[in-house]
Amino acid sequence: MKKNILITGASGQLGQFFIEKLAENNNVISTDINVSRELVKKYDLKFLDALNETKVRKFIDKYHIDEIYNFASILSAKAEKYPLKSFQLNTNCFLNIVKASISSSVKKIFWPSSIAVFSKESNLGYVKQDVIKNPITIYGASKLSCEKVINYFNINGLLDIRSIRFPGIVSSSTPGGGTTDFIVEMINNIKSKKKYICPLSPNTILPMMHVNDAVDASVKLMSVPRKNIKINDSYNISSFETTPNEWKNLICEMGHKLEVDFQPDFRQKIADSWPRKIDDEQIRKDLNWKPKFNKIKTLKSVI
Ligand SMILES: NC(=O)c1ccc[n+]([C@@H]2O[C@H](COP(=O)([O-])OP(=O)(O)OC[C@H]3O[C@@H](n4cnc5c(N)ncnc54)[C@H](O)[C@@H]3O)[C@@H](O)[C@H]2O)c1
């Protein structure tokens, strides 16, 4: 049976890929505060401020929403410029959606966390599922706070909230101001033929995944019975690791011309506090899932 699914923050880097996948079998209500004419035409995008609990509840009731995917947020690098506003927005959008969902038609919520919850204490060379986390960014702090709330709601059976800690996501869409944006921006710079100023040093290793793998894992996580889910806060997930230098070389080896100047800025400190490799054994086991896109396949698909 078709479900009614509400997506908030649907205009961002990830939103359109979730809309397209979910719309294959469901009625999708796509919303954002950024409603471009193009997205309104393409996806019937509607204006909804996820900070407005009353309006969120009106959408839930009007469309008899079964599930919510909440992407409304400010990402890591952008968040450092407005720390308090970003913490408030990231946590309050999530809390409002939780509040509006209680005693409503909503059965499940999907909420993406991030590898930003980790820190030097997490053993960044290979980060296990359940480790010490002391994020140094306000974005990481907001993600970790929401993970704690998710754990609370799940262990007390108050609401079914499912979550994955995404690494850098590689897609053909425009990124929203994260620390891993170089991976998409380098590709965009081939098209514009401009020299790319990379904000990270050439050998910074970071975990990444293709957007289709992120979407597939998320939709699968939302489809399995609750009893299959062994993690009450947020699942580690990953696909491959790369560095800005390796990514640039791979692009050039494919015959594209790309000039890169490495000029690390404040984002280097953020990247240095993030994992180099992720242990995602638990999600692979619980969902019987594995990524379909390796590094080369990912690059070929977005270039
Ligand atoms: N893109 C990545 O690499 C990545 C990695 C890890 C986690 N995530 C998480 O995935 C989610 C989606 O990421 P994204 O890359 O699409 O982000 P994005 O920045 O591209 O999009 C976020 C969207 O939220 C919208 N928004 C902001 N405030 C809002 C509000 N008050 N009400 C409604 N909408 C609002 C923005 O207009 C924007 O369209 C976020 O929670 C992010 O933290 C993304």
Side-chain angles (χ1 to χ4, degrees):
M1 209 176 82
K2 279 190 172 189
K3 286 175 284 190
N4 298 321
I5 299 181
L6 174 66
I7 305 183
T8 58
S11 303
Q13 187 195 351
L14 304 193
Q16 63 176 291
F17 299 95
F18 276 87
I19 298 173
E20 283 175 13
K21 175 73 182 176
L22 291 167
E24 287 170 8
N25 299 310
N26 305 285
N27 303 315
V28 177
I29 318 300
S30 309
T31 68
D32 201 296
I33 48 169
N34 176 14
V35 279
S36 71
R37 208 177 283 174
E38 190 200 333
L39 293 180
V40 171
K41 203 170 156 204
K42 200 166 172 193
Y43 300 121
D44 191 21
L45 188 81
K46 299 176 190 337
F47 182 91
L48 176 62
D49 183 351
L51 288 173
N52 188 331
E53 187 197 331
T54 313
K55 288 272 163 60
V56 173
R57 181 65 194 227
K58 278 195 177 146
F59 265 73
I60 292 173
D61 292 341
K62 180 170 177 195
Y63 296 103
H64 309 289
I65 297 298
D66 299 295
E67 294 181 2
I68 303 183
Y69 285 68
N70 173 34
F71 298 131
S73 66
I74 299 181
L75 269 69
S76 57
K78 208 165 162 189
E80 288 307 296
K81 295 191 175 148
Y82 319 98
L84 293 180
K85 181 183 166 209
S86 303
F87 186 87
Q88 266 180 331
L89 187 130
N90 289 349
T91 53
N92 284 347
C93 285
F94 170 68
L95 291 176
N96 281 341
I97 280 160
V98 169
K99 273 199 274 177
S101 299
I102 292 169
S103 310
S104 78
S105 54
V106 176
K107 293 166 201 80
K108 286 176 219 165
I109 296 174
F110 178 78
W111 180 83
S113 187
S114 157
I115 55 167
V117 295
F118 296 116
S119 60
K120 291 217 157 116
E121 298 82 352
S122 313
N123 185 20
L124 297 175
Y126 190 53
V127 178
K128 298 276 195 192
Q129 174 65 44
D130 194 11
V131 291
I132 298 173
K133 305 173 208 66
N134 284 315
I136 62 160
T137 60
I138 201 75
Y139 174 71
S142 70
K143 290 291 184 190
L144 188 56
S145 308
C146 293
E147 280 197 16
K148 300 284 180 199
V149 175
I150 291 176
N151 184 60
Y152 174 83
F153 273 80
N154 283 332
I155 61 173
N156 289 298
L158 301 171
L159 203 57
D160 187 351
I161 314 178
R162 305 181 180 198
S163 177
I164 295 177
R165 294 172 183 142
F166 287 146
I169 303 294
V170 193
S171 69
S172 51
S173 50
T174 309
T179 303
T180 55
D181 287 1
F182 78 84
I183 198 147
V184 175
E185 288 171 347
M186 275 192 193
I187 293 161
N188 293 343
N189 272 52
I190 307 172
K191 293 165 197 159
S192 68
K193 295 191 166 60
K194 281 191 204 142
K195 184 190 270 185
Y196 180 58
I197 309 297
C198 182
L200 301 182
S201 66
N203 298 322
T204 310
I205 305 173
L206 285 164
M208 303 283 176
M209 79 189 304
H210 190 282
V211 67
N212 289 5
D213 281 330
V215 172
D216 278 352
S218 309
V219 173
K220 200 160 188 194
L221 178 65
M222 288 293 273
S223 72
V224 297
R226 180 78 224 176
K227 65 175 170 46
N228 293 20
I229 298 177
K230 306 293 179 229
I231 299 299
N232 281 315
D233 49 12
S234 190
Y235 275 102
N236 277 5
I237 199 165
S238 190
S239 174
F240 62 90
E241 299 80 37
T242 193
T243 67
N245 199 40
E246 184 191 37
W247 196 244
K248 179 209 158 212
N249 289 339
L250 287 172
I251 291 171
C252 293
E253 279 163 25
M254 281 185 190
H256 299 279
K257 206 166 169 253
L258 175 67
E259 258 191 279
V260 179
D261 231 358
F262 295 96
Q263 292 181 19
D265 62 18
F266 70 99
R267 283 168 274 197
Q268 186 64 47
K269 189 173 159 200
I270 301 178
D272 289 342
S273 77
W274 284 7
R276 293 187 286 283
K277 195 171 168 63
I278 301 275
D279 170 16
D280 64 355
E281 193 192 332
Q282 191 72 48
I283 195 163
R284 289 180 188 231
K285 193 168 141 216
D286 292 357
L287 299 187
N288 189 22
W289 172 91
K290 63 176 187 210
K292 294 190 180 81
F293 288 80
N294 62 18
K295 206 178 294 182
I296 301 298
K297 209 173 159 194
T298 297
L299 184 55
K300 281 186 177 159
S301 104
V302 290
I303 212 152

